[in-house]
């Protein structure tokens, strides 16, 4: 059975992109692998959340993970900061991580560009913390999106370097979990290629959005003035609407709007109304679960402590062995 590790930063509610791009696959993965799914709250400190926001965001992700079907009995579902062993491994890996290689990381360069006022050491060493998260469980596989492939490559570098420095064959080399055809990208309502919470707030639909909010957002989705000639390339906004419809509406509905696009009779308003109702149909059961779970503090506490206990058993074993390899020996 493969050991799989993946985390999500607690930066707010999960949107449809997170669901189709990550959670849906996590739910499948937990059936066939030994999965560790964690809420990356140490990582989120690079953006300096207030204590109240930090806790609230962790709770939101925990609740939404559970609502989406992650099963705390099958997978190990935990909060990153419940595992101080990760912080210790991060410290140890940093001793053999070179500033030059960290500075060359694309995501770090991107942060320097977008937030020059907050280039902290946590951002620079993000890849070593991510490596620690993965190899603390000696994982074999990591489900990563395209944007995270470089981090996984660095994880392999740090794992291999540890093995080389200490002449051991201790850490496996983690590889990307192959999703095959399942890797999907949900587009934004604002004409962007990828739904993302950092875009304007109307671009993303969150699992917890009410039907009224969903209707409002979908009705505001970017389109164009209509198909002057159905053979001309479609604007990105219209491509996105059809793409969303392919996920949420029935094939008949999709065909109906494709046909009316081709015949030049399409009314985007009608298409959006239909899409909004189909999305609501999809998210409503999830939203109900989210509301129920959010009110059940006793259950959440039980899930978090059960996850922490299972994750710590694995992490403590790794740290014990790593300390011994490095040469920390008790007197
Ligand atoms: P983020 O919150 O952007 O860090 O994303 C968390 C996870 O959701 C990552 O594994 C992403 O690959 C996935 N994800 C985020 N946005 C989308 C999207 N629009 N389509 C598909 N997957 C996404």
């Amino acid at each position: 059975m493969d050991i799989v590790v993946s985390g999500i930063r607690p930066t707010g509610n999960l949107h449809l992109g997170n669901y189709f791009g990550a959670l849906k696959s996590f739910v499948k993965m937990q059936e066939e692998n030994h999965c560790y799914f964690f809420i990356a709250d140490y990582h989120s400190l690079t953006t300096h959340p207030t204590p109240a926001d930090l806790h609230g965001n962790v709770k939101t992700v925990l609740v939404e993970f559970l609502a989406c079907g992650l099963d705390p009995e099958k997978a190990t579902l935990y909060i990153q900061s419940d595992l101080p062993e990760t912080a210790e491994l991060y410290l140890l890996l940093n001793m053999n991580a070179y500033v030059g290689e960290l500075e060359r990381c694309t995501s770090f360069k991107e942060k320097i560009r977008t937030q020059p006022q907050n280039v902290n050491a946590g951002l620079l060493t993000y890849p070593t913390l991510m490596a620690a998260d993965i190899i603390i469980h000696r994982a074999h596989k990591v489900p990563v999106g395209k944007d995270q492939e470089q981090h996984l490559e660095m994880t392999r570098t740090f794992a291999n370097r540890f093995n080389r420095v200490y002449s051991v064959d201790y850490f496996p080399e983690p590889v990307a979990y192959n999703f095959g055809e399942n890797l999907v990208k949900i587009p934004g309502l604002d004409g962007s290629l990828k739904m993302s919470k950092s875009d304007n707030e109307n671009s993303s639909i969150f699992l917890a959005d009410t039907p009224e909010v969903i209707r409002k957002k979908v009705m505001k989705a970017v389109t164009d003035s209509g198909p002057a000639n159905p053979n001309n390339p479609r604007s990105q906004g219209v491509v996105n609407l059809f793409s969303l419809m392919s996920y949420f509406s029935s094939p008949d509905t999709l065909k109906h709007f494709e046909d009316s696009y081709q015949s030049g009779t399409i009314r985007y308003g009608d298409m959006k109304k239909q899409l909004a109702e189909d999305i609501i149909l999809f998210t409503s059961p999830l939203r109900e679960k989210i509301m129920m779970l959010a009110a059940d503090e006793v259950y959440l506490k039980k899930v978090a402590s059960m996850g922490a206990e299972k994750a710590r058993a694995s992490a403590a074993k790794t740290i014990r062995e790593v300390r011994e390899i490095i040469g920390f020996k008790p007197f």
Side-chain angles (χ1 to χ4, degrees):
M1 215 187 215
D2 281 330
I3 297 176
V4 177
V5 175
S6 189
I8 284 198
R9 273 177 309 132
T11 49
N13 294 94
L14 299 180
H15 53 69
L16 292 173
N18 299 133
Y19 181 83
F20 282 95
L23 270 299
K24 205 167 164 238
S25 321
F26 290 0
V27 170
K28 262 202 208 143
M29 270 183 247
Q30 70 185 356
E31 300 296 332
E32 292 151 20
N33 304 279
H34 189 164
C35 291
Y36 292 89
F37 297 124
F38 66 95
I39 301 170
D41 56 349
Y42 280 147
H43 279 290
S44 73
L45 295 186
T46 56
T47 58
H48 308 158
T50 65
D53 281 351
L54 179 63
H55 181 73
N57 285 340
V58 169
K59 179 178 169 184
T60 297
V61 175
L62 180 61
V63 162
E64 298 191 0
F65 265 11
L66 293 166
C68 290
L70 291 194
D71 182 343
E73 301 287 340
K74 290 180 183 155
T76 300
L77 187 54
Y78 69 98
I79 295 154
Q80 186 187 27
S81 64
D82 278 341
L83 233 64
E85 290 83 359
T86 304
E88 181 170 349
L89 186 57
Y90 165 62
L91 179 153
L92 299 173
L93 293 179
N94 271 332
M95 301 303 171
N96 284 303
Y98 294 97
V99 172
E101 67 188 336
L102 296 169
E103 280 174 341
R104 279 194 298 278
C105 189
T106 317
S107 58
F108 180 66
K109 287 199 269 194
E110 179 69 10
K111 292 290 180 197
I112 294 182
R113 203 176 58 77
T114 54
Q115 51 176 72
Q117 73 295 355
N118 179 26
V119 183
N120 57 64
L123 283 176
L124 180 68
T125 55
Y126 208 90
T128 41
L129 181 52
M130 191 165 152
D133 290 324
I134 295 167
I135 67 178
I136 193 81
H137 303 298
R138 301 176 72 201
H140 304 109
K141 289 187 178 166
V142 184
V144 285
K146 269 259 165 277
D147 46 346
Q148 303 224 308
E149 264 164 17
Q150 191 179 27
H151 282 155
L152 182 58
E153 188 55 46
M154 291 183 84
T155 299
R156 282 196 281 269
T157 301
F158 297 136
N160 286 334
R161 194 174 290 160
F162 180 92
N163 290 346
R164 210 173 46 249
V165 167
Y166 295 104
S167 305
V168 288
D169 187 15
Y170 184 67
F171 287 118
E173 196 176 80
V175 298
Y177 193 102
N178 188 359
F179 285 107
E181 293 161 22
N182 295 332
L183 201 57
V184 296
K185 193 151 80 181
I186 302 291
L189 292 172
D190 59 352
S192 58
L193 292 176
K194 193 174 164 193
M195 185 176 281
S196 147
K197 49 191 153 213
S198 49
D199 295 340
N200 82 61
E201 58 177 30
N202 288 323
S203 152
S204 302
I205 291 182
F206 297 101
L207 305 179
D209 277 347
T210 60
E212 300 79 72
V213 168
I214 294 176
R215 283 189 195 107
K216 231 190 237 160
K217 286 182 179 174
V218 176
M219 293 315 287
K220 278 198 200 150
V222 173
T223 52
D224 54 32
S225 55
N229 176 349
N231 295 322
N232 287 350
R234 296 177 189 188
S235 69
Q236 192 58 47
V238 172
V239 170
N240 289 0
L241 276 192
F242 276 103
S243 163
L244 287 167
M245 206 164 226
S246 72
Y247 288 110
F248 298 100
S249 304
S250 71
D252 283 351
T253 304
L254 182 62
K255 184 170 181 311
H256 168 77
F257 286 101
E258 276 290 354
D259 290 349
S260 58
Y261 186 93
Q262 289 305 330
S263 63
T265 57
I266 191 160
R267 285 169 42 178
Y268 292 134
D270 293 344
M271 182 177 181
K272 289 177 181 179
K273 259 190 213 146
Q274 181 65 47
L275 177 62
E277 294 315 310
D278 291 337
I279 292 178
I280 291 166
L281 219 57
F282 175 83
T283 54
S284 287
L286 289 174
R287 185 165 165 267
E288 266 169 41
K289 278 190 212 153
I290 289 170
M291 289 193 304
M292 223 171 61
L293 286 159
D296 196 345
E297 296 281 346
V298 175
Y299 178 66
L300 295 179
K301 194 176 160 141
K302 194 175 127 202
V303 169
S305 60
M306 189 168 90
E309 197 181 317
K310 283 200 281 179
R312 284 198 81 176
S314 148
K317 178 172 180 292
T318 304
I319 281 294
R320 205 168 48 244
E321 291 166 352
V322 162
R323 281 177 148 264
E324 200 171 309
I325 291 169
I326 289 179
F328 291 125
K329 295 229 160 84
F331 283 97

